[in-house]
Amino acid sequence: MYPKHKKPAVSLERKLNYKCEERLLAKEWYEHQLADYPDVLTVEQVCEVTGYKRHTILKWCSKGQLKTILQTPKYMIPKVWLLEFVTSDFFNEISRKCGKHYTAIKEIGDLRKDR
């Protein structure tokens, strides 16, 4: 249909297969990423961990997709709730993932192959 368009050089895995052990591997991977963070994170810290922009994190918080402790004037996200979120079907099914999310998927997939 578009003869001048090239296929991507590398095929990106679009999501994890949560029917297998990958949900547990994802949790372990993110626990490792969060090891040096406090038990309750700011939106900025969640941006660092996930790679998503502040606006996106705030949208997830305001819609209740990412559980928070609302402290005026900012959201605070307990680490356990963030772990629950990043291993959720909602997070896995995001259609327009950021680069850091794709990196996580690749690294988690590699962990599965190594075991």
Side-chain angles (χ1 to χ4, degrees), residues 65-81:
Q65 294 159 323
L66 175 55
K67 292 190 285 185
T68 65
I69 299 167
L70 182 57
Q71 287 189 339
T72 308
K74 59 184 177 179
Y75 292 107
M76 300 300 291
I77 300 102
K79 194 186 286 189
V80 293
W81 290 353

Side-chain angles (χ1 to χ4, degrees), residues 44-89:
E44 289 74 23
Q45 290 169 320
V46 173
C47 291
E48 289 173 19
V49 172
T50 63
Y52 286 97
K53 301 286 184 192
R54 178 178 170 77
H55 172 78
T56 303
I57 304 297
L58 290 173
K59 183 176 70 172
W60 292 337
C61 292
S62 67
K63 288 185 172 185
Q65 294 159 323
L66 175 55
K67 292 190 285 185
T68 65
I69 299 167
L70 182 57
Q71 287 189 339
T72 308
K74 59 184 177 179
Y75 292 107
M76 300 300 291
I77 300 102
K79 194 186 286 189
V80 293
W81 290 353
L82 179 58
L83 282 169
E84 185 180 295
F85 178 74
V86 295
T87 57
S88 69
D89 290 335

Side-chain angles (χ1 to χ4, degrees), residues 14-114:
R14 299 287 178 199
K15 60 184 179 177
L16 295 168
N17 178 5
Y18 278 166
K19 294 189 178 14
C20 295
E21 76 248 19
E22 286 184 350
R23 190 181 307 260
L24 291 173
L25 289 173
K27 186 173 187 230
E28 286 177 23
W29 190 88
Y30 277 106
E31 282 173 342
H32 184 266
Q33 301 302 309
L34 290 164
D36 294 332
Y37 284 89
D39 289 340
V40 180
L41 291 85
T42 63
V43 170
E44 289 74 23
Q45 290 169 320
V46 173
C47 291
E48 289 173 19
V49 172
T50 63
Y52 286 97
K53 301 286 184 192
R54 178 178 170 77
H55 172 78
T56 303
I57 304 297
L58 290 173
K59 183 176 70 172
W60 292 337
C61 292
S62 67
K63 288 185 172 185
Q65 294 159 323
L66 175 55
K67 292 190 285 185
T68 65
I69 299 167
L70 182 57
Q71 287 189 339
T72 308
K74 59 184 177 179
Y75 292 107
M76 300 300 291
I77 300 102
K79 194 186 286 189
V80 293
W81 290 353
L82 179 58
L83 282 169
E84 185 180 295
F85 178 74
V86 295
T87 57
S88 69
D89 290 335
F90 171 82
F91 190 74
N92 193 37
E93 299 288 333
I94 292 172
S95 58
R96 295 182 66 183
K97 294 175 173 66
C98 68
K100 203 164 192 174
H101 196 158
Y102 282 122
T103 300
I105 290 170
K106 182 185 180 320
E107 290 182 12
I108 293 164
D110 291 347
L111 282 176
R112 183 167 183 249
K113 293 172 190 167
D114 292 344

